[in-house]
Amino acid sequence: MAIQSVKKFYFLDYLHILLDSISQYDKRIDVLTSFLVLKRRYSLGESKYKKLTVDTEDITDGRIRRYIYTFNQVISEALEYKLVKATNNLDSIHLTELGEKLLSKYKERGSVSFNEELFRFMEDKYGAFRYLVSKLYAANRTLPGLLFLPSYSPRQLGFERESIKTTNDFIGYSEALVEKLGNDIEKYVGQRRDLTNENQKLVMRLIKTDLLPSDYKKCFDPKKYNVITKRFRDFWMSYFLQKVYHYDFSMNSFDLWTYRGKQIGIIHATEFNPYFCGKIVYPLSVIMKSVESRDFDELYRYDDGYSFFIHKPRWSENQEQFVAAIWEAYVDLRRTYRSYFVNLMALREIVCLSTKISEKTFEDFMNRTYKLNLSGKLQIRISLEVDKLPEETGAMYLKREPVMIDNKYRNIIAIDATKGGRAEK
Amino acid sequence: MSKLLKKPQQLQRPETIGRFQKFGLSDNPFPSEPYVNQDSTDKRMNGGIYETEIHKKEFQQIMDCFLKQPQIEPNHLRLGYIIDTSYIGRGNGKSAFLVNLKQIIDDDYCLDISDGTNKCFAVYVSPEAGGRTKTFPGFVDILYQSIVKSGAIRSSLAALRLEAIRKLYPNIDQIIEHFSDEKLLSDLDSEEWFSQNNFDIKAISEEIYKNDFLQQLPDDFPLFRGRNSWIKPFITAKDFTEHYFNNLRKSSDRITFVFSHLVDYFLAAGFNGAYVLVDDFERIPDFQSERQRRDFALELRSCLFDGSCSNARLGFYNFLLVFHAGVPRLIGDAWAASGMEQRAPILPKISSKHVIRFEKLSKKQAILLLKKYLAEYRIEGVELDPLFPFTEDAVHRVGELSEYNAAKMLKMVNELLEKALDSEDAIVINSSFVDDNLDIFEDDSSRKQPIIKEGRAVDLENKAKGRKQ
């Protein structure tokens, strides 16, 4: 189906730097060069997360091939939306009027408006977001819109890496995993399912592809440990998506669309909820004919009278609720982790979920809250610091967007209730 | 039968034992929230339980390089850094260490430690969390409040009065012979006591004013309040605070008051120095811009070393800034640009006297720490191993699990003890008991059960329909 054929790139910023490059050059090779320069300048793509290693200067052939592949994908998507036009062999590329308009929108009103405009083009062409969001609301009866894709590593189930050496050891893990997943399905979807057959199929497939030895007592190649655990993870995530929630998406397309939705601020997707192992996806938007609340903006109108509304709470009317949410989230985290300072990104996850706001809105509201705090206008006192908690010194928060408050990246937060304030209610 | 004689079917038995009596303890000796709160009356919380054997090395360095060095030597160290070697720097016992250091200094105003060379008091300063202390004047306000809290102003006033009384009324020594320091302090602060003993307040004040160190002070200095009026007010420490906050509006006036006038006043009262212990110093630079950091460093340098105030000339206040290992990197540039790096390098290439490295607990120290807490709550007359009910291997296991972080360890043993109370067969707490009960403090993935709160989150569809959440 059309949704599946979406171009393979995640970052909407790529479309922006493509348009920007084409506005300056028209030869394909010049556009490519400019695209790569801008990609590097704005640290787009995966490189934006790599905080722990230094980027090597030398670029391998493989990397170049990947860059060119991405570049071609971005161009073909821009062509689909009629933002650019090109000669047949793609040697020469120009912006269309639409493309120019979109680019000037970015310059005048920033990335949020740009992304929202892109949303309209994407929805015109694919209608994927409507499908995605409607499915999300249908997925879970008890917690509307919340999609759980559980994933438990051997360690999370109490199997230390040293103790997993043979096929038999992995089977032990897979049985524990299946039991856990079965419980999750019952809990979130309200169905009882026997996953033993699926599990056997998976193990047989791993043996067939020589990842696990067919002699159950034999040791597997320890270098393949990570590949094998990843196979388990991918298999069960896809299983949940397609067999439990009945999506027509492959896991890849699903990730791609949810990540795009996250950038626009209409969907939240995370693997870092402190209270859940695996991935959580939920909408920050609704599809209805009309809304009664002022906290929603209409992004798109469909032919059948329904509209796509994005949840965009106004600070002036939601500050009480936001501060209450950070206090509640903080108290919970402090209780769970038994530490006065807690991870700010973990707090963000809880607050985004409970108030259904995007990470961008969280950052904006947090900044405003922090300013109120500094001027002494809050019932609570907030301390934000840059250090990490001791258990977080490893590479564990790659791929998490950092939180910038008061022009500084912050990692941990502590909150105090002031005298006469709303201490633990 | 009268209800006065009727009895319930069951009655408490007199031999019922207290909850912790099972372990020979009167209460759980360990804090559940192990963060020092100086104002708490609970000794588990206020840093009152302190094992001096722990951090002895750090303490010795402070003794040798600061407390024992003659204050009148102009080149004595005026600024030192206590740097927590762990990056996170929370819960290693720094605050407890400082509170204790302050107490040791104040016990005999450092006279015992320095063999009579120095008479110094100590001030404990803790900048506000949350970045409200960004500028040097803001810091000086907190410093001033901490000086008041330390009681130095009150005891100086008492010292000045006592000396004057002794000159005017030679028989005073007989009256106060058996007074404790506490009683002396409160009597000398009480107008009533003066009139009871028929001491002439006016004459005593005039006697005080003759002190050499007071001659340079301006007329509005609180000690001189009402000097030329008809009715003599009785000055107390409160007058100082009122003067500071009501009369001194400009920040430069406040800085001069703290770093010049108060210094002269303390000198007049017989002190020749003070140790200012600034806890959690990182709370200041963490929130400052690069420029604010530089300005702060410049003013600190001026007040401590190179300015024209009394303190810069005499080196009265000795600052010990306490922070975690990430801070030198944070303020290194500001320190270099302001010239502080020449005065007291924060990034010294070789080990220096003024940099005190605050180490984590060792295995041995962890055991000492627990023994100290247990001893405080051991029921009198009960003969038990000082570590009971814990075994040494249990302490090692707890140490490993908490990376020998003092606060985490205390919290863990607090919970272990509670757990052991509930378990009928736990007679001692050994390492396998610790392992069996890992779930109570494991903050790892194993506790990451999906406990997403139902019903608390906003339901967007309902909200969009305008229904109340």
Side-chain angles (χ1 to χ4, degrees), chain B residues 106-122:
Chain B
D106 282 343
D107 260 353
D108 200 24
Y109 289 136
C110 212
L111 285 162
D112 49 349
I113 300 170
S114 64
D115 265 342
T117 315
N118 298 332
K119 183 176 178 183
C120 299
F121 60 90

Side-chain angles (χ1 to χ4, degrees), chain B residues 336-402:
Chain B
S338 64
M340 277 294 266
E341 200 61 15
Q342 278 92 36
R343 292 299 190 180
I346 200 161
L347 296 160
K349 301 220 164 43
I350 43 167
S351 74
S352 313
K353 284 184 191 170
H354 72 285
V355 178
I356 298 124
R357 301 205 164 273
F358 199 84
E359 308 280 350
K360 267 188 191 177
L361 293 184
S362 67
K363 277 185 189 174
K364 219 175 111 199
Q365 289 173 335
I367 290 175
L368 286 174
L369 179 72
L370 260 60
K371 280 185 181 168
K372 183 78 184 180
Y373 273 86
L374 287 163
E376 290 287 329
Y377 283 82
R378 189 69 79 198
I379 293 169
E380 258 180 71
V382 179
E383 288 287 323
L384 285 168
D385 179 87
L387 202 55
F388 180 80
F390 293 91
T391 64
E392 288 205 4
D393 63 329
V395 182
H396 292 168
R397 186 80 187 108
V398 169
E400 280 165 23
L401 289 168
S402 57

Side-chain angles (χ1 to χ4, degrees), chain A residues 99-211:
Chain A
E100 270 171 18
K101 245 171 135 179
L102 184 60
L103 184 62
S104 61
K105 191 154 218 172
Y106 191 102
K107 283 178 184 149
E108 283 157 21
R109 303 181 55 189
S111 64
V112 174
S113 302
F114 179 86
N115 286 347
E116 288 179 4
E117 194 62 38
L118 264 184
F119 169 88
R120 294 182 187 112
F121 288 113
M122 284 188 264
E123 205 55 2
D124 264 345
K125 172 94 188 157
Y126 296 108
F129 291 117
R130 182 175 190 180
Y131 174 73
L132 199 63
V133 169
S134 318
K135 273 276 194 193
L136 284 174
Y137 278 112
N140 193 325
R141 305 257 160 268
T142 47
L143 302 164
L146 216 52
L147 186 87
F148 295 94
L149 297 168
S151 150
Y152 304 93
S153 69
R155 206 173 153 248
Q156 285 163 333
L157 294 181
F159 296 86
E160 285 307 322
R161 179 165 181 168
E162 299 77 49
S163 70
I164 300 188
K165 293 199 173 78
T166 64
T167 303
N168 248 339
D169 297 335
F170 252 118
I171 289 176
Y173 157 65
S174 76
E175 281 164 358
L177 179 65
V178 161
E179 192 187 326
K180 195 104 181 105
L181 295 176
N183 290 340
D184 283 350
I185 297 179
E186 191 170 355
K187 187 164 174 188
Y188 299 124
V189 196
Q191 297 171 2
R192 267 224 73 84
R193 281 201 196 194
D194 185 8
L195 305 175
T196 347
N197 270 342
E198 293 287 336
N199 186 38
Q200 271 167 3
K201 270 193 238 161
L202 169 63
V203 173
M204 290 327 288
R205 208 183 302 162
L206 291 173
I207 291 172
K208 226 174 171 179
T209 46
D210 283 338
L211 282 171

Side-chain angles (χ1 to χ4, degrees), chain B residues 234-353:
Chain B
F234 188 79
I235 310 285
T236 64
K238 257 194 189 155
D239 292 293
F240 283 71
T241 302
E242 267 171 31
H243 174 67
Y244 184 88
F245 287 107
N246 296 342
N247 302 348
L248 305 176
R249 293 288 178 178
K250 280 197 280 184
S251 58
S252 57
D253 291 344
R254 290 185 177 183
I255 293 174
T256 311
F257 182 76
V258 172
F259 286 95
S260 277
H261 302 163
L262 275 186
V263 169
D264 292 338
Y265 166 72
F266 291 136
L267 285 165
F271 287 108
N272 64 359
Y275 294 95
V276 180
L277 316 172
V278 187
D279 203 358
D280 294 321
F281 178 71
E282 63 266 13
R283 287 178 180 174
I284 299 175
D286 253 4
F287 296 96
Q288 286 175 322
S289 65
E290 210 37 61
R291 198 201 155 91
Q292 282 173 322
R293 278 181 203 151
R294 210 182 53 230
D295 290 350
F296 188 94
L298 264 173
E299 295 207 66
L300 187 64
R301 191 191 110 195
S302 161
C303 287
L304 284 191
F305 298 106
D306 302 323
S308 55
C309 59
S310 303
N311 186 59
R313 281 187 288 114
L314 304 169
F316 185 86
Y317 297 117
N318 305 287
F319 277 67
L320 276 168
L321 308 184
V322 187
F323 43 78
H324 65 67
V327 173
R329 202 174 35 82
L330 202 65
I331 60 174
D333 287 347
W335 246 235
S338 64
M340 277 294 266
E341 200 61 15
Q342 278 92 36
R343 292 299 190 180
I346 200 161
L347 296 160
K349 301 220 164 43
I350 43 167
S351 74
S352 313
K353 284 184 191 170

Side-chain angles (χ1 to χ4, degrees), chain B residues 425-437:
Chain B
D425 43 312
I427 302 154
V428 289
I429 298 175
N430 52 26
S431 63
S432 52
F433 183 84
V434 177
D435 284 327
D436 289 344
N437 290 287

Side-chain angles (χ1 to χ4, degrees), chain A residues 292 332 336 338 354 370 408, chain B residues 286-287 415 447 453 458 464:
Chain A
E292 300 294 320
D332 276 356
T336 315
R338 287 148 212 262
S354 70
Y370 191 58
K408 211 173 282 172
Chain B
D286 253 4
F287 296 96
E415 287 172 22
R447 283 200 302 128
K453 301 255 164 78
V458 168

